[in-house]
Amino acid sequence: MSEQQQFNGELCEFLGTATTPFHAVAEMARQLEASGYRRLAEDSEWQLRAGERYYVTRNGSSIVAFGIGSESGPAAGLRMVGAHTDSPCLMVKPSPERNLHGYYQLGVEVYGGALLNPWFDRDLSLAGRVSYQCEAGELRTALVDFRRPVAIIPSLAIHLDREANKNRSVNPQQDIPPILCQLDTEEATDFRELLRAQLLAEHADSAVEKVLDYELCFYDTQPAAVIGLNGDFIASARLDNLLSCFTGMRALQQWDGHSSVLLVCNDHEEVGSLSTSGAQGPLLESVLKRIAGERTAYAALTERSMMISADNAHGIHPNYADRHDENHSPILNRGPVIKINANQRYASNSETTGLYRMLAAKEGVPVQSFVVRTDMACGSTIGPITAGGIGVKTLDIGVPTFGMHSIRELAGTSDACNLARVLQRFYNYRGSLNAS
């Protein structure tokens, strides 16, 4: 098995486990601990030592992992990579029960900028975090994942909407509540009781007395797969942006211990990043200040550091080629993409792009660039948020992707592995991060 095949196999396994941001962080923590990273608690004193590896989580959905260089400490600058753990999805509402014409449905709220049409006719499951009262009368939380198809959103037959292929639109309130089962028309339903049974099935020792609340989302049970006549593509849910989380983690696991390094994977990017665990919240700044130790050292640390914000890029679609600038049209499997926007929707500048191009050349990894058409609006990432909030110079980069924000996205089989190689070289780079 080649390095690329092994990498993609492990990526597909990760995508299958990381069905929610909570599950993604739990799996990343497990893998980092297996690589020698030790968990820190935010409410405890930290004793950081050169050459040691640490990580901290917040809200169970964001994680910061870092290593203190044995020869080049934090004062010399941190090599940082950032990504996000969340993806657009359908979140279950607090009072979701619907019993219409004998069908048991759950009301949902759209999280983020989801592409809704692909959600129809999919085998859906449920996963997330549940808060409950245990038999001792104390508050507890646990992760749940039904891991099997439990719901579906059936399409309306074309016979009942003859214009469906021309102008059908999706009303998120009316059209997308998933169907879970059939019921007698008078049968009462209690979703929290259903969750209590699932908690006991997954956590037999939880002693659940009552489910209090939850953060749950539906997801597609079709597993990630390498597809295409020649195996050119990876198809999966949540490539945006768990692919970047995984590549950053793999690179961090190959850290040589010399320079100081950091990986941050934030929640809530898809809804603006303003939360306790989002990039616009205080998590990263708090960790950096504790690493630095005092105010002057913190200022020096941020000035000498660099962040690579890794978030998927739009590959040029052969059926919609006019949606791209003709000179900035990334192609799958032609290398990671530097993302540039003069209006600072991306945080890349010539200094950060120059360093990336230099490191990529040393790895023999091709580089592409993306600039949105001048007559179209540009998306954004955690890059500008981090650069503006922390004051650290930043590069925005990503793997070219089709179907971003769909329930099933598509990337090239070589790009993620190549990005991991360059990120590993970045972590182990011993030169200055400031151009002279």
Side-chain angles (χ1 to χ4, degrees), residues 137-172:
E138 297 177 338
L139 177 66
R140 295 284 187 269
T141 64
L143 302 188
V144 298
D145 191 338
F146 283 75
R147 291 282 170 192
R148 61 185 177 89
V150 297
I152 193 167
I153 309 171
S155 292
L156 181 65
I158 196 169
H159 312 77
L160 303 178
D161 183 3
R162 294 292 183 179
E163 299 299 307
N165 290 329
K166 295 182 180 180
N167 57 14
R168 177 180 286 180
S169 60
V170 179
N171 182 311

PDB file of all heavy atoms in Angstrom, residues 137-172:
ATOM      1  N   GLY A 137     -28.798  12.498  40.720  1.00  0.00           N
ATOM      2  CA  GLY A 137     -29.302  13.867  40.661  1.00  0.00           C
ATOM      3  C   GLY A 137     -28.311  14.880  40.135  1.00  0.00           C
ATOM      4  O   GLY A 137     -28.495  16.083  40.334  1.00  0.00           O
ATOM      5  N   GLU A 138     -27.259  14.437  39.457  1.00  0.00           N
ATOM      6  CA  GLU A 138     -26.231  15.332  38.946  1.00  0.00           C
ATOM      7  C   GLU A 138     -26.309  15.426  37.425  1.00  0.00           C
ATOM      8  O   GLU A 138     -26.788  14.515  36.749  1.00  0.00           O
ATOM      9  CB  GLU A 138     -24.842  14.837  39.364  1.00  0.00           C
ATOM     10  CG  GLU A 138     -24.637  14.823  40.872  1.00  0.00           C
ATOM     11  CD  GLU A 138     -23.279  14.255  41.248  1.00  0.00           C
ATOM     12  OE1 GLU A 138     -22.702  13.507  40.428  1.00  0.00           O
ATOM     13  OE2 GLU A 138     -22.813  14.539  42.361  1.00  0.00           O
ATOM     14  N   LEU A 139     -25.799  16.556  36.905  1.00  0.00           N
ATOM     15  CA  LEU A 139     -25.782  16.790  35.463  1.00  0.00           C
ATOM     16  C   LEU A 139     -24.624  16.028  34.828  1.00  0.00           C
ATOM     17  O   LEU A 139     -23.487  16.083  35.305  1.00  0.00           O
ATOM     18  CB  LEU A 139     -25.638  18.290  35.183  1.00  0.00           C
ATOM     19  CG  LEU A 139     -25.534  18.699  33.709  1.00  0.00           C
ATOM     20  CD1 LEU A 139     -26.842  18.393  32.980  1.00  0.00           C
ATOM     21  CD2 LEU A 139     -25.175  20.176  33.579  1.00  0.00           C
ATOM     22  N   ARG A 140     -24.897  15.333  33.738  1.00  0.00           N
ATOM     23  CA  ARG A 140     -23.887  14.603  32.984  1.00  0.00           C
ATOM     24  C   ARG A 140     -24.085  14.871  31.491  1.00  0.00           C
ATOM     25  O   ARG A 140     -25.165  15.253  31.060  1.00  0.00           O
ATOM     26  CB  ARG A 140     -23.984  13.091  33.241  1.00  0.00           C
ATOM     27  CG  ARG A 140     -23.687  12.677  34.667  1.00  0.00           C
ATOM     28  CD  ARG A 140     -22.183  12.707  34.946  1.00  0.00           C
ATOM     29  NE  ARG A 140     -21.878  12.165  36.262  1.00  0.00           N
ATOM     30  CZ  ARG A 140     -21.799  12.875  37.365  1.00  0.00           C
ATOM     31  NH1 ARG A 140     -22.044  14.184  37.309  1.00  0.00           N
ATOM     32  NH2 ARG A 140     -21.493  12.306  38.520  1.00  0.00           N
ATOM     33  N   THR A 141     -23.030  14.661  30.712  1.00  0.00           N
ATOM     34  CA  THR A 141     -23.147  14.720  29.260  1.00  0.00           C
ATOM     35  C   THR A 141     -22.511  13.469  28.666  1.00  0.00           C
ATOM     36  O   THR A 141     -21.609  12.871  29.264  1.00  0.00           O
ATOM     37  CB  THR A 141     -22.461  15.967  28.661  1.00  0.00           C
ATOM     38  OG1 THR A 141     -21.054  15.898  28.917  1.00  0.00           O
ATOM     39  CG2 THR A 141     -23.041  17.246  29.238  1.00  0.00           C
ATOM     40  N   ALA A 142     -22.972  13.091  27.489  1.00  0.00           N
ATOM     41  CA  ALA A 142     -22.418  11.940  26.788  1.00  0.00           C
ATOM     42  C   ALA A 142     -22.677  12.103  25.299  1.00  0.00           C
ATOM     43  O   ALA A 142     -23.636  12.778  24.882  1.00  0.00           O
ATOM     44  CB  ALA A 142     -23.033  10.634  27.299  1.00  0.00           C
ATOM     45  N   LEU A 143     -21.820  11.481  24.496  1.00  0.00           N
ATOM     46  CA  LEU A 143     -22.013  11.481  23.051  1.00  0.00           C
ATOM     47  C   LEU A 143     -22.852  10.278  22.651  1.00  0.00           C
ATOM     48  O   LEU A 143     -22.726   9.198  23.227  1.00  0.00           O
ATOM     49  CB  LEU A 143     -20.669  11.425  22.333  1.00  0.00           C
ATOM     50  CG  LEU A 143     -19.676  12.539  22.635  1.00  0.00           C
ATOM     51  CD1 LEU A 143     -18.474  12.441  21.695  1.00  0.00           C
ATOM     52  CD2 LEU A 143     -20.325  13.909  22.538  1.00  0.00           C
ATOM     53  N   VAL A 144     -23.706  10.498  21.659  1.00  0.00           N
ATOM     54  CA  VAL A 144     -24.494   9.401  21.108  1.00  0.00           C
ATOM     55  C   VAL A 144     -24.369   9.407  19.594  1.00  0.00           C
ATOM     56  O   VAL A 144     -24.142  10.450  18.977  1.00  0.00           O
ATOM     57  CB  VAL A 144     -25.989   9.488  21.503  1.00  0.00           C
ATOM     58  CG1 VAL A 144     -26.162   9.396  23.004  1.00  0.00           C
ATOM     59  CG2 VAL A 144     -26.618  10.765  20.965  1.00  0.00           C
ATOM     60  N   ASP A 145     -24.493   8.233  19.011  1.00  0.00           N
ATOM     61  CA  ASP A 145     -24.477   8.092  17.557  1.00  0.00           C
ATOM     62  C   ASP A 145     -25.240   6.820  17.225  1.00  0.00           C
ATOM     63  O   ASP A 145     -24.804   5.720  17.564  1.00  0.00           O
ATOM     64  CB  ASP A 145     -23.041   8.026  17.040  1.00  0.00           C
ATOM     65  CG  ASP A 145     -22.966   8.139  15.526  1.00  0.00           C
ATOM     66  OD1 ASP A 145     -23.985   7.848  14.864  1.00  0.00           O
ATOM     67  OD2 ASP A 145     -21.905   8.509  15.002  1.00  0.00           O
ATOM     68  N   PHE A 146     -26.378   6.961  16.574  1.00  0.00           N
ATOM     69  CA  PHE A 146     -27.205   5.792  16.276  1.00  0.00           C
ATOM     70  C   PHE A 146     -26.506   4.843  15.303  1.00  0.00           C
ATOM     71  O   PHE A 146     -26.800   3.654  15.282  1.00  0.00           O
ATOM     72  CB  PHE A 146     -28.548   6.243  15.706  1.00  0.00           C
ATOM     73  CG  PHE A 146     -29.502   6.759  16.743  1.00  0.00           C
ATOM     74  CD1 PHE A 146     -29.326   8.006  17.319  1.00  0.00           C
ATOM     75  CD2 PHE A 146     -30.594   5.996  17.150  1.00  0.00           C
ATOM     76  CE1 PHE A 146     -30.209   8.492  18.274  1.00  0.00           C
ATOM     77  CE2 PHE A 146     -31.489   6.466  18.104  1.00  0.00           C
ATOM     78  CZ  PHE A 146     -31.292   7.717  18.673  1.00  0.00           C
ATOM     79  N   ARG A 147     -25.604   5.359  14.463  1.00  0.00           N
ATOM     80  CA  ARG A 147     -24.755   4.530  13.600  1.00  0.00           C
ATOM     81  C   ARG A 147     -25.525   3.630  12.634  1.00  0.00           C
ATOM     82  O   ARG A 147     -24.977   2.670  12.121  1.00  0.00           O
ATOM     83  CB  ARG A 147     -23.814   3.660  14.443  1.00  0.00           C
ATOM     84  CG  ARG A 147     -22.746   4.434  15.169  1.00  0.00           C
ATOM     85  CD  ARG A 147     -21.631   4.808  14.226  1.00  0.00           C
ATOM     86  NE  ARG A 147     -20.701   5.754  14.842  1.00  0.00           N
ATOM     87  CZ  ARG A 147     -19.778   6.414  14.166  1.00  0.00           C
ATOM     88  NH1 ARG A 147     -19.671   6.246  12.866  1.00  0.00           N
ATOM     89  NH2 ARG A 147     -18.976   7.256  14.782  1.00  0.00           N
ATOM     90  N   ARG A 148     -26.781   3.910  12.415  1.00  0.00           N
ATOM     91  CA  ARG A 148     -27.567   3.142  11.450  1.00  0.00           C
ATOM     92  C   ARG A 148     -28.621   4.067  10.862  1.00  0.00           C
ATOM     93  O   ARG A 148     -28.960   5.104  11.462  1.00  0.00           O
ATOM     94  CB  ARG A 148     -28.238   1.936  12.112  1.00  0.00           C
ATOM     95  CG  ARG A 148     -29.212   2.299  13.224  1.00  0.00           C
ATOM     96  CD  ARG A 148     -29.764   1.067  13.920  1.00  0.00           C
ATOM     97  NE  ARG A 148     -30.655   1.424  15.040  1.00  0.00           N
ATOM     98  CZ  ARG A 148     -31.972   1.629  14.903  1.00  0.00           C
ATOM     99  NH1 ARG A 148     -32.554   1.524  13.717  1.00  0.00           N
ATOM    100  NH2 ARG A 148     -32.709   1.933  15.964  1.00  0.00           N
ATOM    101  N   PRO A 149     -29.139   3.748   9.698  1.00  0.00           N
ATOM    102  CA  PRO A 149     -30.172   4.614   9.111  1.00  0.00           C
ATOM    103  C   PRO A 149     -31.446   4.596   9.956  1.00  0.00           C
ATOM    104  O   PRO A 149     -32.024   3.532  10.187  1.00  0.00           O
ATOM    105  CB  PRO A 149     -30.428   3.985   7.733  1.00  0.00           C
ATOM    106  CG  PRO A 149     -29.217   3.153   7.444  1.00  0.00           C
ATOM    107  CD  PRO A 149     -28.751   2.657   8.784  1.00  0.00           C
ATOM    108  N   VAL A 150     -31.842   5.770  10.426  1.00  0.00           N
ATOM    109  CA  VAL A 150     -33.056   5.859  11.251  1.00  0.00           C
ATOM    110  C   VAL A 150     -34.067   6.836  10.674  1.00  0.00           C
ATOM    111  O   VAL A 150     -35.167   6.976  11.228  1.00  0.00           O
ATOM    112  CB  VAL A 150     -32.708   6.289  12.699  1.00  0.00           C
ATOM    113  CG1 VAL A 150     -31.827   5.252  13.375  1.00  0.00           C
ATOM    114  CG2 VAL A 150     -32.053   7.679  12.735  1.00  0.00           C
ATOM    115  N   ALA A 151     -33.720   7.510   9.560  1.00  0.00           N
ATOM    116  CA  ALA A 151     -34.625   8.531   9.030  1.00  0.00           C
ATOM    117  C   ALA A 151     -34.368   8.738   7.542  1.00  0.00           C
ATOM    118  O   ALA A 151     -33.324   8.339   7.006  1.00  0.00           O
ATOM    119  CB  ALA A 151     -34.451   9.842   9.787  1.00  0.00           C
ATOM    120  N   ILE A 152     -35.311   9.396   6.892  1.00  0.00           N
ATOM    121  CA  ILE A 152     -35.187   9.731   5.475  1.00  0.00           C
ATOM    122  C   ILE A 152     -36.072  10.939   5.190  1.00  0.00           C
ATOM    123  O   ILE A 152     -37.075  11.171   5.878  1.00  0.00           O
ATOM    124  CB  ILE A 152     -35.590   8.531   4.588  1.00  0.00           C
ATOM    125  CG1 ILE A 152     -35.160   8.772   3.146  1.00  0.00           C
ATOM    126  CG2 ILE A 152     -37.077   8.218   4.709  1.00  0.00           C
ATOM    127  CD1 ILE A 152     -35.234   7.532   2.271  1.00  0.00           C
ATOM    128  N   ILE A 153     -35.687  11.729   4.185  1.00  0.00           N
ATOM    129  CA  ILE A 153     -36.501  12.848   3.709  1.00  0.00           C
ATOM    130  C   ILE A 153     -36.920  12.493   2.286  1.00  0.00           C
ATOM    131  O   ILE A 153     -36.155  12.725   1.336  1.00  0.00           O
ATOM    132  CB  ILE A 153     -35.729  14.176   3.728  1.00  0.00           C
ATOM    133  CG1 ILE A 153     -35.087  14.416   5.093  1.00  0.00           C
ATOM    134  CG2 ILE A 153     -36.647  15.338   3.354  1.00  0.00           C
ATOM    135  CD1 ILE A 153     -34.126  15.589   5.128  1.00  0.00           C
ATOM    136  N   PRO A 154     -38.084  11.909   2.086  1.00  0.00           N
ATOM    137  CA  PRO A 154     -38.475  11.480   0.738  1.00  0.00           C
ATOM    138  C   PRO A 154     -38.765  12.679  -0.172  1.00  0.00           C
ATOM    139  O   PRO A 154     -39.333  13.688   0.258  1.00  0.00           O
ATOM    140  CB  PRO A 154     -39.749  10.661   0.973  1.00  0.00           C
ATOM    141  CG  PRO A 154     -39.818  10.421   2.449  1.00  0.00           C
ATOM    142  CD  PRO A 154     -39.103  11.553   3.087  1.00  0.00           C
ATOM    143  N   SER A 155     -38.366  12.552  -1.422  1.00  0.00           N
ATOM    144  CA  SER A 155     -38.714  13.571  -2.412  1.00  0.00           C
ATOM    145  C   SER A 155     -40.195  13.493  -2.760  1.00  0.00           C
ATOM    146  O   SER A 155     -40.828  12.436  -2.621  1.00  0.00           O
ATOM    147  CB  SER A 155     -37.903  13.369  -3.694  1.00  0.00           C
ATOM    148  OG  SER A 155     -36.541  13.621  -3.503  1.00  0.00           O
ATOM    149  N   LEU A 156     -40.732  14.590  -3.227  1.00  0.00           N
ATOM    150  CA  LEU A 156     -42.074  14.589  -3.788  1.00  0.00           C
ATOM    151  C   LEU A 156     -41.989  14.065  -5.221  1.00  0.00           C
ATOM    152  O   LEU A 156     -41.142  14.512  -6.003  1.00  0.00           O
ATOM    153  CB  LEU A 156     -42.651  16.005  -3.783  1.00  0.00           C
ATOM    154  CG  LEU A 156     -44.066  16.168  -4.328  1.00  0.00           C
ATOM    155  CD1 LEU A 156     -45.077  15.435  -3.443  1.00  0.00           C
ATOM    156  CD2 LEU A 156     -44.431  17.648  -4.447  1.00  0.00           C
ATOM    157  N   ALA A 157     -42.830  13.100  -5.556  1.00  0.00           N
ATOM    158  CA  ALA A 157     -42.799  12.494  -6.894  1.00  0.00           C
ATOM    159  C   ALA A 157     -43.026  13.545  -7.973  1.00  0.00           C
ATOM    160  O   ALA A 157     -43.794  14.504  -7.794  1.00  0.00           O
ATOM    161  CB  ALA A 157     -43.870  11.409  -6.991  1.00  0.00           C
ATOM    162  N   ILE A 158     -42.356  13.355  -9.099  1.00  0.00           N
ATOM    163  CA  ILE A 158     -42.482  14.315 -10.191  1.00  0.00           C
ATOM    164  C   ILE A 158     -43.914  14.390 -10.719  1.00  0.00           C
ATOM    165  O   ILE A 158     -44.348  15.420 -11.247  1.00  0.00           O
ATOM    166  CB  ILE A 158     -41.489  13.977 -11.334  1.00  0.00           C
ATOM    167  CG1 ILE A 158     -41.349  15.177 -12.275  1.00  0.00           C
ATOM    168  CG2 ILE A 158     -41.900  12.702 -12.059  1.00  0.00           C
ATOM    169  CD1 ILE A 158     -40.216  15.047 -13.253  1.00  0.00           C
ATOM    170  N   HIS A 159     -44.701  13.322 -10.542  1.00  0.00           N
ATOM    171  CA  HIS A 159     -46.097  13.319 -10.986  1.00  0.00           C
ATOM    172  C   HIS A 159     -46.920  14.365 -10.243  1.00  0.00           C
ATOM    173  O   HIS A 159     -47.953  14.832 -10.740  1.00  0.00           O
ATOM    174  CB  HIS A 159     -46.720  11.940 -10.760  1.00  0.00           C
ATOM    175  CG  HIS A 159     -45.878  10.817 -11.251  1.00  0.00           C
ATOM    176  ND1 HIS A 159     -44.771  10.368 -10.567  1.00  0.00           N
ATOM    177  CD2 HIS A 159     -45.985  10.046 -12.364  1.00  0.00           C
ATOM    178  CE1 HIS A 159     -44.227   9.357 -11.230  1.00  0.00           C
ATOM    179  NE2 HIS A 159     -44.935   9.140 -12.323  1.00  0.00           N
ATOM    180  N   LEU A 160     -46.462  14.718  -9.013  1.00  0.00           N
ATOM    181  CA  LEU A 160     -47.188  15.694  -8.195  1.00  0.00           C
ATOM    182  C   LEU A 160     -46.583  17.093  -8.298  1.00  0.00           C
ATOM    183  O   LEU A 160     -47.071  18.025  -7.656  1.00  0.00           O
ATOM    184  CB  LEU A 160     -47.204  15.234  -6.735  1.00  0.00           C
ATOM    185  CG  LEU A 160     -47.794  13.843  -6.491  1.00  0.00           C
ATOM    186  CD1 LEU A 160     -47.704  13.478  -5.016  1.00  0.00           C
ATOM    187  CD2 LEU A 160     -49.237  13.776  -6.986  1.00  0.00           C
ATOM    188  N   ASP A 161     -45.504  17.203  -9.054  1.00  0.00           N
ATOM    189  CA  ASP A 161     -44.865  18.507  -9.279  1.00  0.00           C
ATOM    190  C   ASP A 161     -44.162  18.445 -10.627  1.00  0.00           C
ATOM    191  O   ASP A 161     -42.967  18.181 -10.715  1.00  0.00           O
ATOM    192  CB  ASP A 161     -43.869  18.820  -8.158  1.00  0.00           C
ATOM    193  CG  ASP A 161     -43.229  20.190  -8.318  1.00  0.00           C
ATOM    194  OD1 ASP A 161     -43.589  20.922  -9.260  1.00  0.00           O
ATOM    195  OD2 ASP A 161     -42.349  20.525  -7.490  1.00  0.00           O
ATOM    196  N   ARG A 162     -44.922  18.666 -11.690  1.00  0.00           N
ATOM    197  CA  ARG A 162     -44.397  18.508 -13.041  1.00  0.00           C
ATOM    198  C   ARG A 162     -43.288  19.506 -13.383  1.00  0.00           C
ATOM    199  O   ARG A 162     -42.541  19.305 -14.331  1.00  0.00           O
ATOM    200  CB  ARG A 162     -45.533  18.653 -14.061  1.00  0.00           C
ATOM    201  CG  ARG A 162     -46.580  17.557 -13.986  1.00  0.00           C
ATOM    202  CD  ARG A 162     -46.027  16.224 -14.422  1.00  0.00           C
ATOM    203  NE  ARG A 162     -47.048  15.161 -14.413  1.00  0.00           N
ATOM    204  CZ  ARG A 162     -46.830  13.910 -14.776  1.00  0.00           C
ATOM    205  NH1 ARG A 162     -45.613  13.555 -15.160  1.00  0.00           N
ATOM    206  NH2 ARG A 162     -47.800  13.017 -14.729  1.00  0.00           N
ATOM    207  N   GLU A 163     -43.158  20.559 -12.595  1.00  0.00           N
ATOM    208  CA  GLU A 163     -42.121  21.567 -12.835  1.00  0.00           C
ATOM    209  C   GLU A 163     -40.882  21.334 -11.965  1.00  0.00           C
ATOM    210  O   GLU A 163     -39.992  22.195 -11.888  1.00  0.00           O
ATOM    211  CB  GLU A 163     -42.678  22.964 -12.542  1.00  0.00           C
ATOM    212  CG  GLU A 163     -43.867  23.358 -13.410  1.00  0.00           C
ATOM    213  CD  GLU A 163     -43.492  23.390 -14.882  1.00  0.00           C
ATOM    214  OE1 GLU A 163     -42.503  24.067 -15.217  1.00  0.00           O
ATOM    215  OE2 GLU A 163     -44.178  22.719 -15.680  1.00  0.00           O
ATOM    216  N   ALA A 164     -40.794  20.168 -11.338  1.00  0.00           N
ATOM    217  CA  ALA A 164     -39.721  19.915 -10.373  1.00  0.00           C
ATOM    218  C   ALA A 164     -38.336  20.096 -10.975  1.00  0.00           C
ATOM    219  O   ALA A 164     -37.429  20.630 -10.325  1.00  0.00           O
ATOM    220  CB  ALA A 164     -39.858  18.511  -9.802  1.00  0.00           C
ATOM    221  N   ASN A 165     -38.125  19.672 -12.217  1.00  0.00           N
ATOM    222  CA  ASN A 165     -36.807  19.763 -12.829  1.00  0.00           C
ATOM    223  C   ASN A 165     -36.499  21.147 -13.384  1.00  0.00           C
ATOM    224  O   ASN A 165     -35.394  21.391 -13.873  1.00  0.00           O
ATOM    225  CB  ASN A 165     -36.666  18.728 -13.948  1.00  0.00           C
ATOM    226  CG  ASN A 165     -36.603  17.311 -13.409  1.00  0.00           C
ATOM    227  OD1 ASN A 165     -36.107  17.096 -12.314  1.00  0.00           O
ATOM    228  ND2 ASN A 165     -37.122  16.357 -14.171  1.00  0.00           N
ATOM    229  N   LYS A 166     -37.472  22.044 -13.290  1.00  0.00           N
ATOM    230  CA  LYS A 166     -37.261  23.397 -13.801  1.00  0.00           C
ATOM    231  C   LYS A 166     -37.102  24.423 -12.678  1.00  0.00           C
ATOM    232  O   LYS A 166     -36.217  25.267 -12.720  1.00  0.00           O
ATOM    233  CB  LYS A 166     -38.424  23.812 -14.706  1.00  0.00           C
ATOM    234  CG  LYS A 166     -38.531  22.979 -15.979  1.00  0.00           C
ATOM    235  CD  LYS A 166     -39.683  23.469 -16.847  1.00  0.00           C
ATOM    236  CE  LYS A 166     -39.790  22.637 -18.129  1.00  0.00           C
ATOM    237  NZ  LYS A 166     -40.918  23.100 -18.977  1.00  0.00           N
ATOM    238  N   ASN A 167     -37.973  24.340 -11.688  1.00  0.00           N
ATOM    239  CA  ASN A 167     -37.949  25.436 -10.707  1.00  0.00           C
ATOM    240  C   ASN A 167     -38.326  25.003  -9.295  1.00  0.00           C
ATOM    241  O   ASN A 167     -38.817  25.821  -8.522  1.00  0.00           O
ATOM    242  CB  ASN A 167     -38.878  26.575 -11.162  1.00  0.00           C
ATOM    243  CG  ASN A 167     -40.309  26.109 -11.376  1.00  0.00           C
ATOM    244  OD1 ASN A 167     -40.675  25.019 -10.952  1.00  0.00           O
ATOM    245  ND2 ASN A 167     -41.107  26.932 -12.037  1.00  0.00           N
ATOM    246  N   ARG A 168     -38.116  23.752  -8.926  1.00  0.00           N
ATOM    247  CA  ARG A 168     -38.458  23.361  -7.556  1.00  0.00           C
ATOM    248  C   ARG A 168     -37.493  24.014  -6.572  1.00  0.00           C
ATOM    249  O   ARG A 168     -36.276  23.965  -6.748  1.00  0.00           O
ATOM    250  CB  ARG A 168     -38.405  21.847  -7.371  1.00  0.00           C
ATOM    251  CG  ARG A 168     -38.680  21.420  -5.916  1.00  0.00           C
ATOM    252  CD  ARG A 168     -38.633  19.917  -5.724  1.00  0.00           C
ATOM    253  NE  ARG A 168     -39.812  19.281  -6.294  1.00  0.00           N
ATOM    254  CZ  ARG A 168     -40.016  17.958  -6.268  1.00  0.00           C
ATOM    255  NH1 ARG A 168     -39.111  17.160  -5.729  1.00  0.00           N
ATOM    256  NH2 ARG A 168     -41.111  17.440  -6.795  1.00  0.00           N
ATOM    257  N   SER A 169     -38.011  24.616  -5.541  1.00  0.00           N
ATOM    258  CA  SER A 169     -37.209  25.176  -4.451  1.00  0.00           C
ATOM    259  C   SER A 169     -37.533  24.417  -3.172  1.00  0.00           C
ATOM    260  O   SER A 169     -38.534  23.706  -3.088  1.00  0.00           O
ATOM    261  CB  SER A 169     -37.489  26.670  -4.276  1.00  0.00           C
ATOM    262  OG  SER A 169     -38.857  26.890  -3.975  1.00  0.00           O
ATOM    263  N   VAL A 170     -36.672  24.582  -2.171  1.00  0.00           N
ATOM    264  CA  VAL A 170     -36.833  23.861  -0.905  1.00  0.00           C
ATOM    265  C   VAL A 170     -37.210  24.849   0.187  1.00  0.00           C
ATOM    266  O   VAL A 170     -36.488  25.818   0.437  1.00  0.00           O
ATOM    267  CB  VAL A 170     -35.533  23.128  -0.520  1.00  0.00           C
ATOM    268  CG1 VAL A 170     -35.720  22.396   0.808  1.00  0.00           C
ATOM    269  CG2 VAL A 170     -35.118  22.154  -1.612  1.00  0.00           C
ATOM    270  N   ASN A 171     -38.358  24.599   0.819  1.00  0.00           N
ATOM    271  CA  ASN A 171     -38.759  25.374   1.986  1.00  0.00           C
ATOM    272  C   ASN A 171     -38.240  24.639   3.222  1.00  0.00           C
ATOM    273  O   ASN A 171     -38.736  23.555   3.545  1.00  0.00           O
ATOM    274  CB  ASN A 171     -40.283  25.508   2.045  1.00  0.00           C
ATOM    275  CG  ASN A 171     -40.755  26.354   3.207  1.00  0.00           C
ATOM    276  OD1 ASN A 171     -40.336  26.156   4.345  1.00  0.00           O
ATOM    277  ND2 ASN A 171     -41.639  27.300   2.934  1.00  0.00           N
ATOM    278  N   PRO A 172     -37.248  25.189   3.934  1.00  0.00           N
ATOM    279  CA  PRO A 172     -36.618  24.433   5.027  1.00  0.00           C
ATOM    280  C   PRO A 172     -37.545  24.146   6.201  1.00  0.00           C
ATOM    281  O   PRO A 172     -37.295  23.212   6.962  1.00  0.00           O
ATOM    282  CB  PRO A 172     -35.446  25.324   5.446  1.00  0.00           C
ATOM    283  CG  PRO A 172     -35.801  26.686   4.968  1.00  0.00           C
ATOM    284  CD  PRO A 172     -36.620  26.504   3.731  1.00  0.00           C
TER     285      PRO A 172
END
